[in-house]
Amino acid sequence: MASRRARSLGSALTAPTAPTGLSFAGLEDLLGYKLRRAQGAVHRDYMVTVGEIRLTQKQTAVMWLVQGNAGVSQGEVGSALGMDRATMMALVDRLESRELLIRRRSATDARRRELHVTAAGERLMKQLRMRIAVHESRIKSLFNAAELRTLERLLTRFQSLDGAGDAEALD
Amino acid sequence: MASRRARSLGSALTAPTAPTGLSFAGLEDLLGYKLRRAQGAVHRDYMVTVGEIRLTQKQTAVMWLVQGNAGVSQGEVGSALGMDRATMMALVDRLESRELLIRRRSATDARRRELHVTAAGERLMKQLRMRIAVHESRIKSLFNAAELRTLERLLTRFQSLDGAGDAEALD
DNA sequence: TATTGTTATACTCTATAACTATA
DNA sequence: TATAGTTATAGAGTATAACAATA
């Protein structure tokens, strides 16, 4: 019921559809709704751009942090991304079953599981980073330099809603 | 592991935690990540503010549109919000089982199901709209008038990623 | 006792595919 | 044939609770 961009990778994404003549009755005036819409559009573009690599934004965030912090514990990554332990478990299970990362028992604290990116994970991340660069330039190209600075500055301000707020969900 | 705001309603939300000393290795420089973080913070605030009313943002969007367009079909709402039919079904099932809206077979096209908000749904939406007003003023108070205008204008621009793009997911 | 990871369970959103009933 | 809704199924994120191993 609508024409849209790159649906060519033929997967999973339902995009907003053509005009419906339906009244939004003020829904579009909510800042929360606008933010959702923006996030939804970006998320779709991300998934299309990532394509057959098939990593969600959240999985990407985990891989990214593990890659940048070899041996980090599940709990550390989880709390940095705002996930509880159970959520993190499920996510790491998936990444481990795809052999993109492994758990290793810590030598100094047997309760901890240190996370490491596998060789396959490194290769995939290398590909993925190129896709992400494409995605990032596309979404950033919607703004000029000054707008982009402003947008990033204003977006960051929402973090104060979280009190201390360290890091947040990528998904 | 962190102090945060209003967790008083005692439910479901994991917030970002305290500093971990973990390297983000550039993750925080991604515009998509910043947008995610912002959306996450707003979503958490939404759920806390909505409290025991227990409607997700997406359920809220559906209720809102049905209220503003009595007799609209499932398909119309779904496409306006970027959900496919199956997703819409599950969502309407939940709302119907809570007796917040009902399906009614269309008199003119027996394939269609017209959606109507029930009296209970109207009452709940009245309460919900007050909560949403609180939530909206809180998140908007993070910005001055000029910033808010700018932010809303820039956020809207992401819609162009969706090509034609009519409406988008509230969740 | 407190912490880390684990498992079990559950709810929501998302999506595909196949099906029914209408048109 | 095409469309609206439906059902079944599945993957993913989220969260709670209870538990084991370790500190």
Side-chain angles (χ1 to χ4, degrees), chain B residues 1-166:
Chain B
M1 200 205 267
S3 68
R4 59 201 61 137
R5 199 180 37 69
R7 201 55 72 244
S8 49
L9 284 159
S11 55
L13 309 160
T14 306
T17 43
T20 53
L22 195 141
S23 160
F24 275 76
L27 184 60
E28 358 69 75
D29 295 329
L30 300 180
L31 179 56
Y33 179 73
K34 285 200 178 70
L35 190 58
R36 264 282 164 203
R37 286 192 59 174
Q39 165 57 26
V42 170
H43 176 245
R44 254 188 298 285
D45 188 84
Y46 184 85
M47 293 307 287
V48 170
T49 308
V50 157
E52 78 284 355
I53 290 177
R54 305 275 92 197
L55 272 193
T56 65
Q57 287 181 302
K58 194 130 221 171
Q59 291 168 343
T60 301
V62 170
M63 289 295 294
W64 193 295
L65 290 190
V66 174
Q67 213 177 19
N69 302 271
V72 69
S73 74
Q74 279 186 200
E76 283 163 348
V77 175
S79 71
L81 296 174
M83 286 181 283
D84 63 26
R85 279 177 296 173
T87 304
M88 188 64 189
M89 273 299 299
L91 210 153
V92 171
D93 281 348
R94 271 174 238 124
L95 295 173
E96 195 172 35
S97 72
R98 284 179 66 179
E99 300 186 349
L100 299 177
L101 54 74
I102 55 168
R103 292 174 166 104
R104 215 180 278 161
R105 163 158 284 173
S106 164
T108 59
D109 183 343
R111 290 173 303 183
R112 292 164 62 89
R113 296 293 181 277
E114 297 180 345
L115 300 178
H116 298 267
V117 174
T118 64
E122 297 284 356
R123 282 194 299 275
L124 184 131
M125 283 302 287
K126 190 177 169 191
Q127 297 300 314
L128 183 56
R129 281 172 193 274
M130 291 190 291
R131 306 283 182 100
I132 290 176
V134 171
H135 164 74
E136 279 283 313
S137 4
R138 178 157 47 230
I139 66 177
K140 283 179 174 164
S141 75
L142 297 172
F143 311 98
N144 66 36
E147 287 171 337
L148 191 55
R149 273 197 310 276
T150 301
L151 178 60
E152 295 186 324
R153 180 170 54 81
L154 296 181
L155 283 179
T156 303
R157 212 174 294 173
F158 283 108
Q159 296 315 302
S160 66
L161 292 172
D162 276 327
D166 176 27

Side-chain angles (χ1 to χ4, degrees), chain A residues 23 25 34 37 44 53-54 70 76 80-81 91 100 106 121 131 144 166:
Chain A
S23 160
K34 284 201 178 68
R37 285 191 59 177
R44 251 187 299 285
I53 291 178
R54 305 275 93 195
E76 284 163 347
L81 296 174
L91 211 153
L100 299 177
S106 164
R131 305 285 182 99
N144 66 37
D166 177 27

Side-chain angles (χ1 to χ4, degrees), chain A residues 56 58-59 83-84 86-87 90-91 94 105 109-111 171:
Chain A
T56 66
K58 196 132 221 169
Q59 291 169 344
M83 288 182 283
D84 63 28
T87 304
L91 211 153
R94 271 174 239 123
R105 166 158 280 174
D109 183 343
R111 291 174 303 184
D171 187 346

